[in-house]
Amino acid sequence: MTTAQSNDGSDNQQSEKGALPDAPMAMPRQVLEAPRGMSMFRAFLPRATRAGN
Amino acid sequence: MTASSGTGGAGLSRTIALSLSVLAAAGAFMLFLQFGMADGLDAMDVVRSAFILLSTFWLAWGATQALLGLTTRAKPPALPPFTGLTTRTAILVPVYNEDPVTTYSRIAAMDASLKETGLQNHFHFAILSDTRKDDIAAQERDWFERLVRECGAEGRMFYRRRTNNKGRKAGNIEDFFQRSGGAYDFSLILDADSLMEGSTIVEMARRMEAEPRLGLLQSLPKVTRARARFGRAMQFSASFHSPVFARGLGMMQGETGPFWGHNAMVRVRAFVESCGLPELSGAPPFGGHIMSHDYVEAALLARAGWIVRLDDDLEGSYEEGPENIVDHAKRDRRWCQGNLQHSRLLMAPGLLTWSRFVFLQGILSYISPLFWLGFLIASILAPWFTPPVNYFPVPYWPFPVFPSNEAWKAIGLAVGIFGLLFLPKLLVVADAVATGRARGFGGAALAIQSSLTELLFSSVTAPILMMFQTRSVFQVLLGRDGGWPTNNRGDGTLSLGEAWSATHWIVTTGVVGLGTCYLLAPGLVPWLLPIVIPMILAPVVVSWTSKRSRTTLFTAPLELSPAPVMILQDRILAAWQGGEAAPLAGSEHQVEAPAHA
């Protein structure tokens, strides 16, 4: 059994059996909060409003 | 052809479905308004007509999905001749306080099934534990050693447990990608109760290899191993009706397809680059971790330009479902919170319009019962708002003018609404009989009987499920977080006492609702009875439907002819529970992991 630290920087101690391949990948956080000025009309009818997405 | 047609086909399907639904909703609105106006227009007529408009749109939307689904058949996509795989796939099995013996028996069966393809070296299994109970975690570790030994899977099977289950299932998978994602091209994401044929897993990897723009490939899992009356009714419905509805949905979704969180393969690079989920500002239920992460991940992949596809022609994909109404309601509570949380994401930047619409659909699926509830309440209150009848509306006209009888319009509307509810299912029956699909359900006669019984069964259980759903919506709106309860799997028999403690509030609501209706609008009582009687009998219904089913009704194809991987799992589980080694060929054989292609 081994212990390891999580890649998100937290102290997420893990127990492990069978060594998982060590091949880290960065998983960037996506932006999901609505930008300022976004409206339902713009969101659902981007072409009509020329707001684009 | 798979369910997902190209963008053009999806556009046409969406236009047809939307047009028919709007037309049906507008027709229902006008009919009810004319009915209500017969004795003079009042505010409640408008309110009730608006509820009818929303409810009919939602019903028609579901019905058009089935109609679309009946217009085409599932076919595999055109692929180059198969010459083997060049990629490596991680099969991820997230677990959370599950019974490790049963879960691992599924893994052993899938591994044995993969070995039959001769391509097992292209697949690794990773058991990703978020289990919080130390005794179960200890069993997970002990049984993992046995699993690896008996499968001869040293170097191909891994187990790791997080002590901090940040981000729940999505965080669990993300953690794996952050540590080991670079070692794999694809990842098959499963649930603890998922089971898939090795040949299906290989075929999915083959399709991912063949289409480099494919970011996610979703299979259509069939519900299996139900034993209770409720579970078997759901299993029958999922086997008999869902493929048609899913096909219609897939046709509309096109390349912006669904992700249901499991039994789906993702391209690791696409997923890692596009699907890092942020925590939403604020506290749960609307803030915090994204609960229904699968819908969001599908939308994010589509936003980044990846194809998300449902291939409903893929056989050999299985899952298990809740065995009783209470377990169903618990799962539904989680989904309800997750879907309502999507209201925060409707205006997220860059999403495709269809992805936003999918979020909206998910929200509507939970708040639509509120439209019916609103309609019922407004109907009970309506007599208080009705203006006195004016028999002399024309000045100086000496004869009375009696209000026209518009009752036929209300009756016509009721017939139309029942048609939207039942017609799609009846058409699915006709299609199954005509195409011979009904043979898998015990023959045409039994399939028809099962389908009609399922209509009756769902009519009785629907008001109870509607009440659970309504409570869930109110709980979320009032800010109550449902947490992350463990799924109950296996026998879910409920005694009358247990059913009473889960549903007494539904009984009370039914009695109070019926009494109020009798006092305020006695004429509506007969219309209310089909809803109120199941509510008042909820404990009996919940307990009775949780008992073991012993009828041939609801026979599903996998009950008559279990899939090879299911038979494998049964044998392995029986051997392990009997204290024996799993009956696996070459279990002592050590398989070397291949060099990464």
Side-chain angles (χ1 to χ4, degrees):
Chain A
M1 185 187 299
T2 60
T3 57
Q5 186 147 358
S6 164
N7 290 337
D8 66 2
S10 67
D11 56 347
N12 192 1
Q13 295 294 310
Q14 304 178 350
S15 61
E16 187 177 305
K17 280 183 173 290
L20 278 165
D22 190 20
M25 291 182 94
M27 208 160 167
R29 294 273 165 267
Q30 299 298 313
V31 176
L32 287 172
E33 303 281 354
R36 286 175 68 86
M38 191 67 158
S39 65
M40 281 287 184
F41 192 62
R42 282 185 169 192
F44 280 90
L45 294 168
R47 285 181 197 161
T49 59
R50 295 193 174 193
N53 270 319
Chain B
M1 189 178 72
T2 55
S4 310
S5 42
T7 313
L12 179 66
S13 303
R14 292 171 194 173
T15 307
I16 291 171
L18 197 62
S19 306
L20 289 175
S21 305
V22 168
L23 206 65
F29 176 82
M30 291 308 297
L31 268 179
F32 195 85
L33 198 62
Q34 286 170 11
F35 164 71
M37 282 169 59
D39 56 356
L41 183 68
D42 61 70
M44 276 301 162
D45 291 331
V46 179
V47 170
R48 286 193 294 168
S49 301
F51 279 127
I52 285 284
L53 176 95
L54 293 168
S55 304
T56 309
F57 175 83
W58 184 241
L59 279 178
W61 183 252
T64 49
Q65 269 179 39
L67 295 180
L68 279 172
L70 286 167
T71 59
T72 55
R73 300 274 174 248
K75 284 181 194 160
L79 293 171
F82 187 51
T83 55
L85 296 174
T86 58
T87 50
R88 189 156 70 175
T89 299
I91 301 174
L92 306 184
V93 188
V95 293
Y96 178 64
N97 298 331
E98 318 280 345
D99 167 31
V101 183
T102 310
T103 305
Y104 291 3
S105 69
R106 296 189 188 102
I107 294 172
M110 285 188 276
D111 186 57
S113 183
L114 273 170
K115 281 177 181 156
E116 288 171 9
T117 69
L119 295 166
Q120 71 275 16
N121 288 354
H122 292 270
F123 299 92
H124 288 179
F125 286 87
I127 300 161
L128 308 177
S129 173
D130 260 348
T131 293
R132 304 270 52 85
K133 295 176 181 168
D134 288 337
D135 55 330
I136 296 179
Q139 285 181 43
E140 286 174 357
R141 286 191 293 273
D142 292 345
W143 276 91
F144 177 76
E145 287 181 2
R146 185 167 177 175
L147 172 71
V148 173
R149 189 172 63 247
E150 295 192 15
C151 291
E154 188 73 39
R156 286 196 307 115
M157 285 186 185
F158 310 101
Y159 168 89
R160 77 101 175 86
R161 180 189 175 209
R162 299 194 302 168
T163 48
N164 168 0
N165 58 355
K166 189 181 175 192
R168 301 177 178 176
K169 184 183 169 187
N172 193 1
I173 289 168
E174 186 176 312
D175 178 87
F176 170 82
F177 285 137
Q178 286 179 331
R179 294 188 62 197
S180 308
Y184 300 98
D185 303 279
F186 310 135
S187 172
L188 179 69
I189 299 175
L190 301 179
D191 260 354
D193 64 359
S194 297
L195 189 64
M196 291 185 76
E197 293 286 357
S199 55
T200 306
I201 298 171
V202 169
E203 177 64 18
M204 290 178 82
R206 179 190 175 202
R207 294 183 187 189
M208 294 292 289
E209 286 188 8
E211 174 50 273
R213 294 183 305 132
L214 188 55
L216 186 147
L217 181 59
Q218 175 69 60
S219 69
L220 178 61
K222 290 195 170 73
V223 178
T224 62
R225 302 197 187 284
R227 291 175 184 84
R229 289 165 179 149
F230 178 78
R232 285 193 72 233
M234 296 282 283
Q235 175 178 273
F236 170 80
S237 184
S239 303
F240 196 73
H241 299 115
S242 292
V244 178
F245 281 85
R247 178 152 193 75
L249 177 69
M251 285 170 69
M252 280 195 280
Q253 296 214 342
E255 294 183 347
T256 321
F259 177 33
W260 295 323
H262 56 90
N263 295 41
M265 194 172 280
V266 299
R267 188 175 302 274
V268 171
R269 187 171 68 82
F271 198 84
V272 165
E273 285 174 0
S274 320
C275 298
L277 296 180
E279 263 190 54
L280 299 179
S281 58
F286 286 99
H289 297 298
I290 293 175
M291 284 192 77
S292 291
H293 56 91
D294 40 12
Y295 278 35
V296 181
E297 286 154 351
L300 289 174
L301 282 166
R303 178 170 84 171
W306 295 98
I307 295 172
V308 178
R309 205 171 77 194
L310 166 66
D311 279 9
D312 58 339
D313 67 296
L314 286 166
E315 296 289 337
S317 177
Y318 313 107
E319 64 171 332
E320 294 178 21
E323 286 280 58
N324 61 56
I325 290 175
V326 175
D327 282 346
H328 179 279
K330 270 190 209 166
R331 186 181 72 173
D332 213 46
R333 170 67 176 83
R334 206 174 66 238
W335 289 357
C336 172
Q337 184 170 330
N339 282 20
L340 295 187
Q341 191 187 36
H342 290 164
S343 58
R344 291 276 310 272
L345 311 179
L346 280 171
M347 292 191 286
L351 294 184
L352 300 182
T353 303
W354 179 256
S355 300
R356 299 185 201 279
F357 188 71
V358 170
F359 287 152
L360 197 60
Q361 267 191 102
I363 296 165
L364 270 174
S365 69
Y366 281 94
I367 62 171
S368 60
L370 266 60
F371 301 152
W372 286 116
L373 193 67
F375 175 76
L376 286 175
I377 293 170
S379 295
I380 291 170
L381 296 176
W384 296 74
F385 288 80
T386 307
V389 179
N390 180 5
Y391 291 104
F392 299 96
V394 184
Y396 310 114
W397 183 254
F399 304 106
V401 177
F402 292 97
S404 59
N405 185 356
E406 302 279 3
W408 66 271
K409 287 182 176 165
I411 293 167
L413 180 60
V415 169
I417 286 173
F418 278 108
L420 287 175
L421 274 171
F422 297 132
L423 187 66
K425 287 188 171 180
L426 295 177
L427 288 176
V428 173
V429 175
D431 177 75
V433 171
T435 58
R437 194 169 73 93
R439 277 196 294 274
F441 294 84
L446 187 57
I448 292 169
Q449 279 180 53
S450 298
S451 199
L452 294 177
T453 311
E454 194 272 336
L455 277 179
L456 184 68
F457 190 92
S458 57
S459 302
V460 172
T461 54
I464 300 168
L465 294 171
M466 188 182 83
M467 287 307 294
F468 275 116
Q469 218 172 49
T470 304
R471 184 176 72 166
S472 297
V473 171
F474 280 117
Q475 283 176 339
V476 174
L477 294 178
L478 292 171
R480 280 183 59 187
D481 180 18
W484 191 18
T486 307
N487 286 323
N488 284 337
R489 306 197 200 274
D491 181 31
T493 303
L494 297 172
S495 68
L496 200 57
E498 288 167 327
W500 167 257
S501 65
T503 59
H504 59 84
W505 60 276
I506 297 178
V507 178
T508 308
T509 310
V511 170
V512 170
L514 186 63
T516 309
C517 182
Y518 181 74
L519 288 174
L520 298 181
L524 281 180
V525 167
W527 293 86
L528 208 60
L529 288 178
I531 299 167
V532 173
I533 289 175
M535 285 169 66
I536 294 172
L537 295 176
V540 179
V541 173
V542 167
S543 175
W544 187 82
T545 55
S546 76
K547 301 281 192 293
R548 186 155 186 144
S549 167
R550 301 190 189 282
T551 170
T552 54
L553 280 171
F554 301 139
T555 293
L558 288 166
E559 291 178 325
L560 294 175
S561 175
V565 75
M566 290 170 64
I567 296 170
L568 269 172
Q569 192 219 336
D570 283 340
R571 286 181 186 155
I572 294 164
L573 185 59
W576 281 352
Q577 286 175 336
E580 298 166 18
L584 296 167
S587 63
E588 295 304 314
H589 178 62
Q590 300 289 304
V591 182
E592 292 296 321
H596 184 221

